[in-house]
Amino acid sequence: SSEVGVGAVGLSIARFAFARQKIQAICLPTISLASRPDLGTMAGHVIPAIDLDAQLNALADDGWLTKLNGVMTGYFASVDQVETVAAFLKKLAQENPTATLLVDPVLGDCDTGLYVSEEVAQAVRDLLLPLADVITPNLFEFSWLCGMPQLSFDDLVAHANRLNVPDIVVTSAHIGVSTEMPSSRDARPQENQKNLIKTVHIHKGEMATFSSPFIAHMPKGTGDIFASHLLSCLVQEEEMKVAVCGSVEFLERIAERVEGAKTIEPSLLF
């Protein structure tokens, strides 16, 4: 995923979420930037796919393929990066089929649209999703991946089969839902739906929803925290719904501390 100096997103925040769960993480950047684009001057570079390929091959040569419990993919800056990682993941699946692959399709959001090129987004959809055990798109990304720009919350299950992924966890779902499955915190009344944000787990046509207070002004990086926390739980063999619930609650605690801030301070994770 991405590596950013100012403004913790991508690997810059995910590594701390892994560390908090006592998970050893090998972090390989796809792009290195001084600052998040909205926080400072754009300076840095895209990691060439040939260099990323060399790093992945080095890890394979050092015996890591059989040691990995899971892999998470995030932001990609080029199509050839996606192709390189897809080839690595196919090799991993052959040598270590029990490793959990979580694809966080970092493609865009409802307030920005796509913030990768359409070619990169298509490559993630076509090359990585077929390899994934679980994906963690936000509602905009899920809609885009399904090819349904105006997809509503109530359409989630009906369109999930388009993606053919065993477990789909949709985050940042702002619209109310008729079937309620709150996290282990107190259930909130239906009339307060507009003040809630939903996280939705879809598996074999069944949907479970988890509610959290809606916070309008949240810094970037919460999706990276959620995905890395979820994978940490899964590689420790937690059941999926338990892992989703725990990750939702963890993100709630972080959200309470960073409301209105421009960035997430990694020390808040500990």
Side-chain angles (χ1 to χ4, degrees), residues 17-248:
F18 285 125
R20 187 186 184 282
Q21 295 296 101
K22 303 188 184 304
I23 298 293
Q24 179 186 358
I26 302 170
C27 297
L28 300 184
T30 55
I31 189 171
S32 178
L33 296 174
S35 297
R36 209 174 70 200
D38 60 319
L39 294 179
T41 303
M42 280 285 290
H45 66 283
V46 173
I47 308 301
I50 190 171
D51 293 340
L52 186 58
D53 185 54
Q55 293 174 334
L56 292 169
N57 286 331
L59 292 173
D61 291 343
D62 290 341
W64 280 102
L65 282 180
T66 57
K67 299 176 184 177
L68 294 174
N69 300 108
V71 176
M72 183 177 85
T73 69
Y75 179 88
F76 288 97
S78 67
V79 171
D80 53 355
Q81 285 180 343
V82 180
E83 293 171 343
T84 294
V85 170
F88 172 79
L89 294 174
K90 288 178 181 178
K91 184 176 181 180
L92 173 66
Q94 291 177 345
E95 298 198 25
N96 184 0
T98 63
T100 299
L101 172 56
L102 186 153
V103 172
D104 186 17
V106 183
L107 308 179
D109 211 336
C110 57
D111 59 342
T112 61
L114 286 177
Y115 45 63
V116 299
S117 70
E118 189 158 346
E119 292 76 15
V120 168
Q122 290 169 347
V124 170
R125 179 194 63 199
D126 298 341
L127 300 179
L128 295 186
L129 262 60
L131 305 175
D133 297 302
V134 55
I135 61 173
T136 55
N138 61 38
L139 186 58
F140 168 83
E141 291 160 342
F142 179 84
S143 300
W144 190 91
L145 291 168
C146 292
M148 301 290 291
Q150 303 302 317
L151 186 65
S152 70
F153 190 91
D154 292 331
D155 294 329
L156 292 181
V157 173
H159 291 89
N161 289 338
R162 293 172 179 259
L163 303 184
N164 195 30
V165 177
D167 285 282
I168 300 171
V169 183
V170 183
T171 64
S172 299
H174 299 269
I175 306 171
V177 63
S178 55
T179 303
E180 180 68 11
M181 181 178 177
S183 66
S184 60
R185 296 190 174 197
D186 293 337
R188 289 131 181 140
Q190 285 291 111
E191 59 267 21
N192 292 331
Q193 289 292 334
K194 290 184 179 179
N195 297 322
L196 299 178
I197 193 167
K198 306 289 185 177
T199 302
V200 182
H201 172 223
I202 303 170
H203 176 73
K204 293 184 177 179
E206 296 186 0
M207 180 174 77
T209 67
F210 303 81
S211 300
S212 302
F214 174 71
I215 298 176
H217 302 290
M218 282 289 292
K220 304 293 185 182
T222 54
D224 303 300
I225 293 174
F226 179 85
S228 50
H229 190 279
L230 179 61
L231 182 59
S232 297
C233 295
L234 295 176
V235 300
Q236 295 179 93
E237 299 185 350
E238 286 192 14
E239 192 269 337
M240 176 62 74
K241 287 184 181 179
V242 174
V244 174
C245 182
S247 298
V248 167

